[in-house]
């Protein structure tokens, strides 16, 4: 019988994609690759299935929509996987929302933000995240989900 993920596990992860990530596949493929956001979401659903958890994905170009989703996650999900895109480097509001809900957060980036322009080297998200994975393309998402589920299942933290 094909038991849905949700019936097998109560662990639910919110995956948030920030601005311009809806254009993956078309957008600067030399930096971000040719994989589309739909393909990333599909990969995360497959990975979630093998980890016996559920993922709910949302992309928005609007900071307030992302803040609302983070606030709502408090009662609906156990952790947040986030690629905040450019808001990583600018948004105190996203950082404060993540701190407010106090769910474990893993930050991911397709590109290695530290090899790029200096304005990308600072993340407002990193201080409120369990950890950050940057530079592995689509694998950053897969590794990020693994790390988040591992943290939730074991309570493991480096500090
Ligand atoms: C990104 C890196 C950010 O600097 C950039 O603004 C993005 C994508 C990444 O996944 O590599 O939109 O978060």
């Amino acid at each position: 019988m094909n038991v849905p993920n949700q019936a097998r596990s109560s662990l639910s992860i919110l995956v948030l994609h920030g601005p311009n990530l809806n254009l993956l596949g078309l957008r600067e493929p030399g930096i971000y690759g040719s994989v589309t956001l739909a393909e990333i979401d599909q990969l995360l659903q497959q990975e979630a299935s093998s980890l016996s958890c559920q993922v709910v994905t949302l992309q928005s170009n609007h900071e307030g929509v992302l803040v609302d989703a983070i606030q709502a996650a408090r009662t609906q999900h156990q952790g947040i996987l986030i690629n905040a895109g450019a808001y990583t480097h600018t948004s105190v509001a996203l950082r404060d929302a993540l701190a407010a809900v106090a769910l474990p957060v893993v930050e991911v980036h397709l590109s290695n933000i530290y090899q790029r322009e200096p304005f990308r080297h600072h993340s407002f998200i990193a201080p409120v995240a369990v950890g950050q994975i940057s530079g592995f393309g689509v694998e950053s998402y897969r590794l990020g989900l693994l790390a988040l589920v591992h943290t939730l299942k074991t309570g493991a933290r480096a500090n």
Side-chain angles (χ1 to χ4, degrees):
M1 192 172 70
N2 188 9
V3 182
N5 263 345
Q6 199 165 6
R8 282 194 268 122
S9 170
S10 57
L11 204 57
S12 179
I13 308 294
L14 177 64
V15 178
L16 290 176
H17 308 286
N20 300 307
L21 294 170
N22 54 314
L23 297 181
L24 286 177
L26 300 171
R27 176 191 183 200
E28 301 183 87
I31 296 173
Y32 299 115
S34 56
V35 179
T36 66
L37 191 63
E39 288 166 339
I40 290 175
D41 284 347
Q42 197 182 4
L43 176 138
L44 289 171
Q45 294 293 351
Q46 283 165 5
E47 198 65 29
S49 180
S50 67
L51 293 167
S52 299
C53 71
Q54 191 198 8
V55 297
V56 173
T57 64
L58 172 74
Q59 188 277 331
S60 180
N61 294 324
H62 304 278
E63 193 173 20
V65 172
L66 295 166
V67 169
D68 287 345
I70 292 166
Q71 290 186 10
R74 196 172 56 82
T75 54
Q76 294 167 16
H77 304 284
Q78 284 70 54
I80 299 176
L81 183 70
I82 184 166
N83 181 352
Y87 288 145
T88 305
H89 319 298
T90 63
S91 181
V92 176
L94 285 185
R95 180 239 178 260
D96 283 355
L98 291 168
V101 298
L103 293 172
V105 174
V106 172
E107 173 184 357
V108 298
H109 299 283
L110 294 152
S111 62
N112 181 342
I113 58 174
Y114 303 100
Q115 280 181 347
R116 300 183 62 194
E117 303 94 323
F119 66 83
R120 295 186 204 274
H121 297 182
H122 177 260
S123 167
F124 280 100
I125 311 289
V128 295
V130 179
Q132 183 196 70
I133 297 170
S134 176
F136 296 95
V138 178
E139 283 302 306
S140 292
Y141 279 93
R142 193 205 305 270
L143 294 167
L145 182 63
L146 268 170
L148 183 54
V149 171
H150 177 75
T151 300
L152 286 165
K153 286 184 177 170
T154 66
R157 306 268 172 110
N159 49 11

